[in-house]
Each structure stands twice: as C-alpha cells, then as structure tokens.
Amino acid sequence: MARLCEGRVVIVTGAGRGIGREYALMLAAHGAKVVVNDLGGARDGTGAAADPAEEVVDEIRKAGGEAVANASDVSDFAGAKEMIEQSISAFGRLDVLVNNAGILRDRMLVNMTEAEWDAVIKVHLKGTFGPAHHASAYWRDRAKKGETVGARLINTTSVSGIYGNAGQTNYGAAKAGIAAFTIIAARELARYGITVNAIAPGALTRLTEDLGIGKGSEEQKARLHPRWIAPIVTWLASTESSHVTGRVFEASGETLAVAEGWHRGPAVEPTEDPTKLGPVVDELVRAARKNAGMNGRDLD
C-alpha cells in the first residue's frame, strides 16, 4: 500500500475515541507521526482523563508507528499553543492540524441554558480558532523564512451546521461558524502554502449513539462506522491535496460529497416603501430554492 503521509507530522484533536481515533490510526498507517490530543472528557465535555489518548498512542506504536499523547484543552488558548509546541519539540515540525475535538449539549432553544450554549461554542468554535491560530502563525513564520511549507489545516463542521438540525442551535451555530471560518482562512492563508478544508462527518459514535442514527440496522450502523471518514482526511493531509482548499466535504460510509455554500438566489430592485414588499417577498421566496434538510436535499 502506498503511504500518503510518509514523514508528515500531524496533530489530531479529540483523537482518543471515535472519529478522531480513526483519523490518528489511518494517518499513522500512512506514515505520519501523530500527536494524539484528547482531554479525555465525557460526551458533554465534563471531566478529564489521560487514558484515551495514551491508548491510541500505544496502539500506533505497537503497529510500528510514531506518536505522542497530548492532554491539552483545545479551548484554552495557552493550552492550544502548548500542543503546537509539543509537536515541534517531539518531531521537529508540524505539517498538518486536524481540528476534531467536540462535545454535545443538545437542547431546544427555549430550554437551553447559558452554560449549555457557552460550553459548546467554546469547545467547537474557540477550540478550532486557538489551535489554528498558533499553527498558522508557525507556518507563516516558516514561509517568511523562505521555506516551502505545504501545510494542511482540516476542520470539523457538521450537517447540523451547514444544513440545520432542530435541538442543536448551539452545536449547529458553532459548526456553521467553522464552515465560514474554513473558507475565510483558506483565502487568508493560501499565500503561505497552507490549505484549509473542513469535514462534515456522519458517523455512529458516543456523541451520536442515542440520536436517530443509533437506531438503524446492523448494516446501517456498519456504514456509519467512523473509519469511513478517515480516508478523505488522510488524503487531505497528504502532499497530493495541495490544489484543494476552502472546501467542505460531507463524508460518511454512505456518501462523499462537496457541500455548496450560500449563494445569492432570486433578486429584485430594492424599494423604499415597505407597504409594497409583501408580494415582492412572496415571489422571491417562491422562486428561491428551499433550505436543505440533514440529508442535504431540499426540505423547507
């Protein structure tokens, strides 16, 4: 088997379990040296334990790969910097950052608490910004020194964010923000030899096992194993992907697709008189494409 990431140094956040674990294992199998980050918290972000990250590191090493564990909280700005510095200290460089860590605190909007909102926004949105900021600054400095960078930033969004899912205003808002963050960062960082893409994964993990997808048949569950998402991340982490940036990929055992973002739909000349807008807006809405549902198809 050709090894796509031979010698590449990769950080994967939230890599102790689920999707992140599959990323770390496949990247290592393809020759990457992996920093396995995981705070080891519960599904809702509470608690901490070193075991999940260390177990993945042991698995990689037993298979002949190279890996180190990191227990930084990705939503802590200083902790995110320490994670980048550990990669450089352990392996001499950093080539790829995969922002994967996340939590869930689902609740309908009218019942959601401030703490539930803040926790999810912090882990997902700030937990993407902090590591990305410090990694990008490191890569920019290398580029300014005349080095060829070839770096990769791979973020994690969700169909809940790009399409919308009831009961997840906090999670969906964070994930929509990450999708926008990805496109903007790709435009900013291209000059330094950095590509930025995002994955909207569909998988059965401890975060999703009590949702609808955890109630399918055994065949359906097999198609939603997180291992199906690792190939696109491994390819994006490789040097082969240098021409692809600013894209959001929907990935699962059922599909691999490029999500298409907001575009201007039907339009008319503006008016200063609000009393004339009723029929105008009705026609605009009638002619516009519907919002997508969680399957990416027109819904409402």
Side-chain angles (χ1 to χ4, degrees):
M1 180 182 70
R3 305 220 308 175
L4 285 174
C5 296
E6 194 72 61
R8 303 274 277 171
V9 177
V10 183
I11 294 173
V12 183
T13 71
R17 304 181 181 95
I19 296 171
R21 174 181 177 274
E22 297 299 324
Y23 291 168
L25 294 177
M26 183 171 283
L27 286 160
H30 277 266
K33 302 173 183 179
V34 185
V35 177
V36 179
N37 162 266
D38 204 295
L39 185 61
R43 181 176 185 262
D44 64 358
T46 57
D51 293 352
E54 291 174 352
E55 288 169 3
V56 175
V57 168
D58 288 344
E59 192 170 350
I60 289 172
R61 289 175 176 172
K62 287 176 181 177
E66 296 184 58
V68 295
N70 175 274
S72 292
D73 178 350
V74 296
S75 67
D76 179 83
F77 198 64
K81 184 177 182 180
E82 290 171 3
M83 181 172 62
I84 306 304
E85 291 173 343
Q86 182 182 354
S87 171
I88 300 165
S89 174
F91 299 121
R93 59 189 293 121
L94 174 65
D95 300 297
V96 182
L97 170 63
V98 182
N99 283 316
N100 168 74
I103 65 170
L104 283 180
R105 293 194 185 180
D106 291 354
R107 193 84 62 191
M108 286 295 189
L109 176 60
V110 295
N111 296 321
M112 186 173 293
T113 67
E114 182 181 12
E116 288 166 339
W117 174 271
D118 288 347
V120 170
I121 296 296
K122 182 179 179 183
V123 172
H124 288 278
L125 203 49
K126 187 177 179 183
T128 294
F129 161 69
H133 166 81
H134 294 300
S136 298
Y138 161 71
W139 291 324
R140 178 199 58 190
D141 291 345
R142 285 180 51 199
K144 286 187 173 182
K145 292 176 183 177
E147 297 181 35
T148 300
V149 175
R152 307 283 181 266
L153 175 57
I154 304 169
N155 298 320
T156 305
T157 182
S158 169
V159 289
S160 179
I162 59 177
Y163 302 141
N165 190 35
Q168 293 188 314
T169 50
N170 52 1
Y171 179 77
K175 290 305 192 182
I178 291 169
F181 176 103
T182 295
I183 294 168
I184 297 165
R187 292 169 178 168
E188 291 182 359
L189 300 175
R191 72 189 73 178
Y192 305 120
I194 306 166
T195 67
V196 189
N197 294 285
I199 306 296
L204 182 58
T205 68
R206 67 180 182 135
L207 263 66
T208 59
E209 62 188 359
D210 63 346
L211 304 178
I213 64 173
K215 301 174 183 177
S217 66
E218 291 305 310
E219 181 180 353
Q220 289 171 322
K221 290 179 181 179
R223 297 298 293 181
L224 289 172
H225 192 284
R227 68 182 178 84
W228 288 100
I229 307 162
I232 182 62
V233 169
T234 301
W235 184 82
L236 286 172
S238 75
T239 57
E240 286 189 9
S241 66
S242 61
H243 59 294
V244 177
T245 193
R247 291 296 182 178
V248 173
F249 293 90
E250 190 179 342
S252 71
E254 297 178 330
T255 189
L256 177 63
V258 174
E260 297 177 335
W262 289 98
H263 291 78
R264 181 176 294 155
V268 296
E269 290 296 318
T271 178
E272 294 181 330
D273 185 353
T275 66
K276 296 180 179 179
L277 280 178
V280 174
V281 172
D282 287 346
E283 177 57 24
L284 287 174
V285 173
R286 186 202 63 77
R289 184 172 182 175
K290 293 180 179 180
N291 293 321
M294 288 286 280
N295 60 5
R297 301 187 182 97
D298 288 356
L299 176 64
D300 57 20

